[in-house]
Amino acid sequence: MHKFITLFLGLTAIGMFGHGLYKGRGHHRHRHFGHSHGVSGLSADYYAYTSHLRTWSPSFKALFSLLCLVMCIAMNNIYVSVMVILAMGYLTVVIGGLEFDSYLSMLAIPAAFLLFGSAAVAVGFSLKPAGQYHFHVLNLFYIYCSRACLLKAGNLILKAFGAVSCLYMLTLTTPLSEIISVLRKAHVPSLLIELMNMIYRYIFIMLDTHSRMKNSAQARLGYVDFKTSCYSFGQVAGNLLIVSLKRGNDYYNALEARCYDGCLRFLEEEKPVKSEQIAGAAAFVLLLCGIRLLTG
């Protein structure tokens, strides 16, 4: 049965990849019109506003991604984790229209933490030879690893990637204003929502400020050698906080000029949930349950 599930997942991956190539062939020539948007391109909102899944109901996407995340963690099954990774990537890249390179670059951020964190699970230390694989270090101790530890580390990595891909599917296809609307409907305290929104926005204010200051230093040959680079880095770091606070104060004054009363309100667009979306989500949940039952 495990071989059958492995074959099924392989064929599913090939089918999704083939559909992505076929679909991308017709849309590739229509991409990249216009110029680069600078730091805004680093924002998840940049991808969310251009995603084809933006027309889906944000409440449905939030509920579906949360349900898949919980199932991926609770079932603790390698095959379920792989299926979740494939499905979330397919929705984000193929259906949503996100560039595959951009998606991989974003997955690379948690990948580094996962690899180093899983190394502690896969590798052990001992004064005597242990495990199927061991290495003697300086005739003092052994670094060992076993198949069970490798399997456990692999399961941990795939489960974490499955959870991350669920959150990426939500954040890369849903603008922040719609996520805030979902949180309001879930009766999350307004103070937490306001802090989340302002902190998120302020991060990109600081990124934009740093980008401008770094470009200015580069135009004046501030990074021509190591000594000059260290001096320029110190100058940029020292001025970043002051300039960012000034820009943050300007943004707050702009909010007050528009009658800000401590509550941010966004224009919400009605996006009803379609029957085929509910049917697809239900079929996928049943598929995960079936994979879990068949693989034990």
Side-chain angles (χ1 to χ4, degrees):
M1 186 57 68
H2 289 266
K3 293 182 179 179
F4 174 77
I5 297 298
T6 303
L7 178 62
F8 171 74
L9 291 175
L11 293 176
T12 302
I14 294 173
M16 290 179 176
F17 182 73
H19 183 231
L21 288 178
Y22 176 78
K23 189 175 181 180
R25 185 175 60 181
H27 295 279
H28 181 72
R29 64 185 63 184
H30 300 289
R31 293 176 180 175
H32 301 302
F33 287 111
H35 60 279
S36 174
H37 295 274
V39 179
S40 63
L42 300 175
S43 171
D45 275 355
Y46 176 79
Y47 301 114
Y49 278 108
T50 58
S51 175
H52 301 159
L53 292 182
R54 192 193 165 198
T55 57
W56 288 21
S57 169
S59 300
F60 171 77
K61 286 186 288 186
L63 182 62
F64 178 63
S65 62
L66 181 61
L67 179 60
C68 291
L69 186 150
V70 171
M71 294 182 67
C72 179
I73 295 176
M75 289 184 175
N76 194 27
N77 185 281
I78 292 179
Y79 301 101
V80 172
S81 300
V82 172
M83 191 66 219
V84 170
I85 293 172
L86 291 176
M88 296 299 114
Y90 179 76
L91 287 174
T92 306
V93 176
V94 179
I95 305 298
L98 177 65
E99 292 283 348
F100 187 63
D101 293 340
S102 301
Y103 187 67
L104 286 182
S105 64
M106 298 192 73
L107 282 179
I109 299 173
F113 295 97
L114 288 175
L115 290 177
F116 284 109
S118 301
V121 178
V123 178
F125 301 90
S126 174
L127 297 176
K128 298 180 179 180
Q132 285 83 13
Y133 316 101
H134 54 265
F135 178 70
H136 205 188
V137 180
L138 300 176
N139 294 324
L140 296 176
F141 60 92
Y142 287 88
I143 299 177
Y144 70 91
C145 183
S146 64
R147 294 187 182 92
C149 291
L150 288 175
L151 185 63
K152 185 177 180 180
N155 185 25
L156 179 63
I157 291 175
L158 290 175
K159 187 164 60 174
F161 263 118
V164 169
S165 63
C166 291
L167 295 179
Y168 273 6
M169 192 280 290
L170 177 63
T171 56
L172 296 177
T173 61
T174 311
L176 180 66
S177 59
E178 295 185 356
I179 296 178
I180 289 177
S181 174
V182 174
L183 294 177
R184 280 204 182 99
K185 293 177 181 178
H187 301 289
V188 175
S190 59
L191 177 61
L192 294 179
I193 295 176
E194 300 297 322
L195 286 174
M196 181 189 72
N197 180 64
M198 289 187 175
I199 291 172
Y200 179 82
R201 296 300 182 188
Y202 196 72
I203 288 173
F204 296 102
I205 294 174
M206 294 189 67
L207 284 175
D208 181 61
T209 303
H210 175 264
S211 177
R212 293 172 185 270
M213 295 174 68
K214 186 177 179 180
N215 291 339
S216 178
Q218 285 178 337
R220 293 169 175 80
L221 302 180
Y223 297 91
V224 67
D225 54 37
F226 180 75
K227 181 179 179 181
T228 309
S229 299
C230 292
Y231 176 78
S232 298
F233 175 80
Q235 291 293 102
V236 170
N239 294 329
L240 180 61
L241 178 61
I242 300 174
V243 177
S244 298
L245 286 174
K246 183 179 181 301
R247 291 198 62 186
N249 187 59
D250 293 339
Y251 275 78
Y252 184 76
N253 291 336
L255 284 173
E256 286 195 323
R258 290 163 175 81
C259 302
Y260 174 65
D261 58 354
C263 182
L264 294 174
R265 298 175 178 85
F266 300 95
L267 180 63
E268 299 180 12
E269 182 181 355
E270 291 293 333
K271 298 178 180 179
V273 183
K274 298 180 180 179
S275 57
E276 55 266 25
Q277 295 172 359
I278 298 176
F284 182 71
V285 170
L286 292 176
L287 176 63
L288 294 182
C289 295
I291 293 175
R292 180 65 179 86
L293 291 174
L294 291 174
T295 55

